[in-house]
């Protein structure tokens, strides 16, 4: 029996889905909804508007913003995917027209990554025996994107719609519940921003308090600016 170190065994492990299209859209939607309506409530409330006007403005902003976010996310992700498809077809034609040059290019890419010259050539030749494998390797190496892992435009649209609407309704809760207090609405918006930031930190190496404080700061700046503008316009109108 060998007394050496035990042989390493391969084992399965998982990673978070970083290309599915939902996470970025969800985080962006939630933060945008919170900041937009917290700032809107601050501005309209600072201008002296009635509780009914604040609710009407906030609901209109929620509906319009959620639809706009969903359409924007769908269009941007769809455009990105179509551009990737175009580049994949361009690379496919290049492999068919100039296989020798593409083989040399793959050899060079392997050498840059630390593979010895002879081994790089052997590996490149073997990989180029399968056109689909060769195409995928060239696309990933040159574009940094895997054609098999394209984000879903529908997923991005639905995620942004739902999270924007959820974030936008939070600053309106006191008014919807019958409490016509501007400070309560701003407090709800601030708590929502801090909570959303803390939740987003689960997908990043940042500590929860850093992410929460950052989003709270962003929201406070936006609300402060719009409140000041609302007060100035309200005074000017009166």
């Amino acid at each position: 029996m060998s007394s050496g170190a035990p042989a390493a065994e391969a084992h399965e492990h998982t990673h978070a889905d970083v290309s599915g299209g939902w996470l970025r859209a969800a985080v962006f939607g939630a933060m945008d909804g919170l900041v937009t309506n917290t700032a809107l409530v601050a501005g309209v409330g600072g201008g002296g508007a009635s509780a009914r006007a604040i609710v009407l403005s906030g609901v209109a902003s929620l509906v319009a913003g959620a639809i706009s976010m969903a359409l924007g996310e769908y269009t941007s992700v769809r455009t990105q995917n179509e551009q990737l498809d175009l580049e994949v077809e361009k690379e496919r034609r290049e492999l068919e027209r100039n296989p020798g040059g593409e083989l040399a290019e793959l050899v060079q890419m392997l050498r840059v990554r630390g593979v010895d010259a002879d081994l790089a050539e052997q590996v490149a030749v073997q990989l180029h025996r399968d056109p689909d494998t060769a195409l995928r390797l060239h696309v990933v190496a040159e574009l940094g994107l895997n054609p098999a892992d394209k984000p879903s435009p529908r997923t991005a649209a639905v995620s942004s719609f739902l999270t924007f609407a959820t974030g936008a309704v939070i600053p309106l809760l006191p008014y919807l519940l019958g409490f016509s207090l501007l400070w309560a609405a701003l407090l709800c918006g601030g708590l929502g921003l801090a909570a959303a930031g803390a939740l987003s930190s689960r997908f990043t190496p940042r500590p929860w308090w850093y992410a929460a404080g950052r989003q709270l700061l962003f929201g406070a700046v936006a609300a402060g600016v719009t409140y000041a503008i609302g007060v100035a316009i309200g005074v000017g109108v009166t």
Side-chain angles (χ1 to χ4, degrees):
M1 180 181 295
S2 172
S3 59
E9 295 182 0
H11 64 282
E12 293 185 358
H13 62 285
T14 60
H15 293 282
D17 179 14
V18 297
S19 61
W22 70 270
L23 179 58
R24 182 189 64 84
V27 172
F28 185 37
M31 298 305 178
D32 196 13
L34 279 161
V35 172
T36 296
N37 261 16
T38 300
L40 182 143
V41 168
V44 177
S50 66
R52 185 173 183 275
I54 292 174
V55 172
L56 178 60
S57 300
V59 172
S61 172
L62 184 157
V63 174
I67 294 174
S68 176
M69 282 288 297
L71 293 176
E73 284 291 339
Y74 182 89
T75 302
S76 63
V77 174
R78 185 67 179 267
T79 301
Q80 175 185 310
N81 288 347
E82 290 172 349
Q83 183 183 22
L84 177 57
D85 291 338
L86 183 64
E87 294 300 322
V88 169
E89 287 306 310
K90 185 187 299 183
E91 189 65 31
R92 189 191 306 276
R93 290 194 299 270
E94 190 64 24
L95 280 167
E96 293 172 353
R97 184 170 59 246
N98 185 20
E102 292 297 301
L103 178 61
E105 187 177 75
L106 182 56
V107 171
Q108 182 61 28
M109 286 189 288
L110 291 170
R111 293 190 62 185
V112 168
R113 287 162 174 75
V115 181
D116 292 338
D118 292 340
L119 181 58
E121 187 168 355
Q122 294 175 27
V123 171
V125 169
Q126 184 172 355
L127 293 174
H128 263 244
R129 291 172 184 167
D130 183 352
D132 291 334
T133 299
L135 176 63
R136 185 171 62 253
L137 286 170
H138 279 276
V139 171
V140 171
E142 295 176 30
L143 301 178
L145 297 171
N146 189 340
D149 293 331
K150 292 188 294 186
S152 167
R154 291 186 180 85
T155 298
V158 172
S159 296
S160 61
F161 180 91
L162 294 177
T163 54
F164 183 97
T166 301
V169 79
I170 291 176
L172 298 176
L173 287 177
Y175 289 98
L176 294 174
L177 296 175
F179 301 99
S180 302
L181 300 170
L182 179 59
W183 68 264
L186 298 180
L187 178 62
C188 284
L191 292 175
L193 282 165
L199 287 174
S200 69
S201 70
R202 296 186 59 186
F203 303 98
T204 73
R206 297 289 189 181
W208 68 268
W209 54 264
Y210 176 89
R214 178 179 60 184
Q215 298 307 322
L216 186 57
L217 175 62
F218 291 164
V221 170
V225 171
T226 53
Y227 179 82
I229 294 173
V231 170
I233 293 177
V235 171
V237 171
T238 57

